[in-house]
Amino acid sequence: MKKRLLAIAAVGTAAVLTLSSCGGSNSGGGGTPNPAPTDKVLHLSFLQDPGQPPDPDVYYAGQGLLLTTNLYEGLLQFKGGEAKAELEPLLATEYTASPDNKVFTFKLREGVKFHDGTPFKSDAIKASFDRRLAVNGGPAYMVKDIDSITTQGDYGVTITLKSPNSEFFDELASAYGPRIMSPTGLQKNGGSDFAQNYLTTHDLGTGPYTLTDAQVGSHYGMASFPDYWGPKPYFEKVDIPVITDSSAQQLQFNNGQLSVILHDLPSSAVEQYINNSKYSHYSLPTMMANFIYINPTKGMMKDQATRTAVMNTIDVDQLVKQTYFGRGKVGAQMYPPYTLATDYGKQVLKHDPSALTKIAAGLPADQKSVTIGYDTSNPDNQLITNLIQTQLAAAGLTVKVQGYPTSEIYGWVGNAAAAPEIFANLVWPDAPSPYTWGHISWDPDGGINYLSCSSPKVTAALAQGLPNGAPQPYSDAGAAAQETGCWLNVADIDDFMVAQPWLKGVEQAHAVSNPNSLRIAALSVG
């Protein structure tokens, strides 16, 4: 069996972000822990509506990954509870790749049922991959290079690509990778939109949970699937209200109404929970990074030298110290953590506002105004953009800070004129491998290339690295990306979660590839 286990990602990075958890420090607050539930209902929350339906061929955001992770399964996944990325079987029990990384063969798991009762067999692979290609959403690039899918009986399949791809296994295991759907359900509910409308309120997966409620902007729910092929989950129901105020979310958690807060806690709350022994807190390894984007299509930012001057004006050390206490460090590479060995893709930081001060002094007053945007679901980036506002204002710019919902942000892809001049966002690659980051972020057709910046040098270097996974071309791509002045990695960030102390299995339920999410079937009460 040939498996690329991301050795390059593991080198050196385990020392940077290590798997850790603790129940809080006795030096701070405390009190009697909230009692464990007896009804086998897990209470979670979204700080913002997912913004996209829980359809794995459409969904490509952060809020809501919890749904697709637990409703659907792919052929492979990355192990939970590990401080590095390591592949493991899921709906495929064995998997091999040809020496040229073009032909991939899988033995499929027997005894699996889809949620509509259809038995899982090899015909579901082609139906699911074809459907992803037809929907043509952000993650469709993972299947666009498939030349053929052939079956060997009910439980064998071979996928042949048009060109070599050393990261194909990683893409299949990705949190956004192809998920296998019931071919019967797709045919029955396909309609004229390949079942996209149906999958806004239903699911066709094999996961441990089924979708029971999907009220946009209000509430989501899941229930355990009684015929699930794996171990029976402890929690029979999952309740997920949308709570748009972070303080209200924390209050419900403190009162025991929520079992865990998975993401988007502001830095002030992080410090509070770290110092409170009443709750458990976890700082878990993840591929998350906080990037600054600059829009090359607007105003003064059309000039590469000006973009670079703006980046150099930003005091990254100050941003990290004031925002990511205890859970992050200054971004060392142009890639998020766990994607490329630390010797490659290094980011060169130069804090020097003098160039921007000179540029701003030569501009008319009506050309000095810029807007900095942030995702309203992320309180940290509101703080970061406020700090950047102050730093750029000191250099002579007039700066406005504005929040945008996730759904609007994805609308900027291919339409950068609708976006602000500068954008701060929490991001991660589709999989712990460098091509998935470089392609989605830097290529002209990348799914999170929000502000339409690209470079032929970047695209060429990424294409050079893909056939065999050699790290140097990816390192060259990172250097070329920094040259554009469009991207700055502010911080590499741990996945910080706070939970009631009776919730067990959090570390095992967390995978480095799936930020802001847990595999709920691994959780229990103890």
Side-chain angles (χ1 to χ4, degrees), residues 98-139:
S98 63
D100 64 355
N101 289 314
K102 286 185 66 177
V103 182
F104 300 84
T105 304
F106 303 87
K107 182 178 179 180
L108 304 181
R109 189 176 300 278
E110 300 184 30
V112 177
K113 284 186 179 182
F114 290 100
H115 296 160
D116 66 356
T118 301
F120 165 62
K121 294 182 181 179
S122 56
D123 63 331
I125 307 303
K126 188 175 190 307
S128 299
F129 282 43
D130 285 352
R131 194 259 178 179
R132 172 164 286 213
L133 189 62
V135 170
N136 198 28

Side-chain angles (χ1 to χ4, degrees), residues 379-403:
D380 289 328
N381 269 312
Q382 183 174 11
L383 174 58
I384 281 176
T385 50
N386 285 334
L387 293 170
I388 293 175
Q389 178 188 41
T390 301
Q391 294 173 4
L392 297 186
L397 298 185
T398 302
V399 184
K400 173 186 174 182
V401 172
Q402 183 171 335

Side-chain angles (χ1 to χ4, degrees), residues 485-518:
C486 292
W487 295 280
L488 171 68
N489 183 5
V490 172
D492 296 334
I493 306 163
D494 293 358
D495 219 351
F496 185 86
M497 300 180 180
V498 59
Q500 304 295 344
W502 46 258
L503 187 66
K504 304 303 177 185
V506 171
E507 297 100 330
Q508 292 72 28
H510 181 270
V512 67
S513 57
N514 293 47
N516 298 339
S517 183
L518 294 174

Side-chain angles (χ1 to χ4, degrees), residues 2 4 75 96-106 125 129-130 133 140-150 157-172 178 435 466-468:
K2 180 183 177 184
R4 180 172 170 270
L75 294 172
T96 60
S98 63
D100 64 355
N101 289 314
K102 286 185 66 177
V103 182
F104 300 84
T105 304
F106 303 87
I125 307 303
F129 282 43
D130 285 352
L133 189 62
Y141 76 92
M142 299 182 190
V143 299
K144 283 185 176 178
D145 198 42
I146 291 176
D147 186 51
S148 65
I149 300 176
T150 57
V157 66
T158 297
I159 300 174
T160 302
L161 306 184
K162 298 173 186 175
S163 56
N165 183 351
S166 63
E167 300 188 0
F168 189 61
F169 281 149
D170 303 338
E171 292 171 0
L172 295 182
Y435 181 82
L466 186 60
N468 60 16

Side-chain angles (χ1 to χ4, degrees), residues 74-355:
L75 294 172
L76 309 174
Q77 67 178 8
F78 290 100
K79 283 186 177 180
E82 300 288 338
K84 62 180 181 180
E86 186 173 346
L87 290 166
E88 68 175 358
L90 195 55
L91 292 181
T93 57
E94 297 178 13
Y95 46 104
T96 60
S98 63
D100 64 355
N101 289 314
K102 286 185 66 177
V103 182
F104 300 84
T105 304
F106 303 87
K107 182 178 179 180
L108 304 181
R109 189 176 300 278
E110 300 184 30
V112 177
K113 284 186 179 182
F114 290 100
H115 296 160
D116 66 356
T118 301
F120 165 62
K121 294 182 181 179
S122 56
D123 63 331
I125 307 303
K126 188 175 190 307
S128 299
F129 282 43
D130 285 352
R131 194 259 178 179
R132 172 164 286 213
L133 189 62
V135 170
N136 198 28
Y141 76 92
M142 299 182 190
V143 299
K144 283 185 176 178
D145 198 42
I146 291 176
D147 186 51
S148 65
I149 300 176
T150 57
T151 59
Q152 293 85 48
D154 287 341
Y155 298 103
V157 66
T158 297
I159 300 174
T160 302
L161 306 184
K162 298 173 186 175
S163 56
N165 183 351
S166 63
E167 300 188 0
F168 189 61
F169 281 149
D170 303 338
E171 292 171 0
L172 295 182
S174 160
Y176 302 98
R179 294 296 178 258
I180 310 305
M181 301 185 188
S182 164
T184 304
L186 288 176
Q187 185 176 24
K188 179 181 177 181
N189 302 289
S192 60
D193 66 349
F194 309 103
Q196 288 184 73
N197 183 62
Y198 179 78
L199 292 180
T200 61
T201 53
H202 302 78
D203 78 90
L204 291 170
T206 61
Y209 288 87
T210 63
L211 185 68
T212 57
D213 191 21
Q215 300 178 48
V216 176
S218 176
H219 184 269
Y220 295 82
M222 295 185 287
S224 60
F225 178 47
D227 292 329
Y228 183 58
W229 62 267
K232 183 179 180 180
Y234 173 83
F235 289 103
E236 296 175 353
K237 293 183 179 180
V238 184
D239 181 67
I240 316 173
V242 179
I243 304 173
T244 57
D245 180 79
S246 182
S247 296
Q249 185 185 51
Q250 293 168 53
L251 180 62
Q252 289 195 30
F253 173 79
N254 294 346
N255 292 336
Q257 295 168 269
L258 295 178
S259 308
V260 56
I261 299 178
L262 298 176
H263 48 74
D264 296 328
L265 280 165
S267 55
S268 57
V270 170
E271 186 169 3
Q272 171 192 343
Y273 286 121
I274 285 176
N275 293 310
N276 194 326
S277 60
K278 181 178 177 180
Y279 310 106
S280 297
H281 62 269
Y282 303 86
S283 192
L284 303 168
T286 184
M287 304 180 295
M288 289 193 299
N290 209 127
F291 267 75
I292 303 298
Y293 294 67
I294 293 187
N295 192 337
T297 72
K298 301 191 77 170
M300 72 177 79
M301 302 305 172
K302 293 179 180 179
D303 177 60
Q304 184 272 339
T306 300
R307 296 195 299 271
T308 299
V310 170
M311 291 295 193
N312 289 341
T313 300
I314 296 173
D315 186 342
V316 174
D317 286 334
Q318 182 193 36
L319 300 187
V320 175
K321 287 176 182 177
Q322 296 193 32
T323 309
Y324 288 114
F325 167 80
R327 59 196 168 113
K329 70 185 196 78
V330 172
Q333 297 171 279
M334 286 299 292
Y335 292 82
Y338 294 94
T339 55
L340 192 63
T342 54
D343 290 342
Y344 296 94
K346 290 184 178 180
Q347 177 174 248
V348 180
L349 296 176
K350 178 185 177 182
H351 177 226
D352 181 4
S354 61

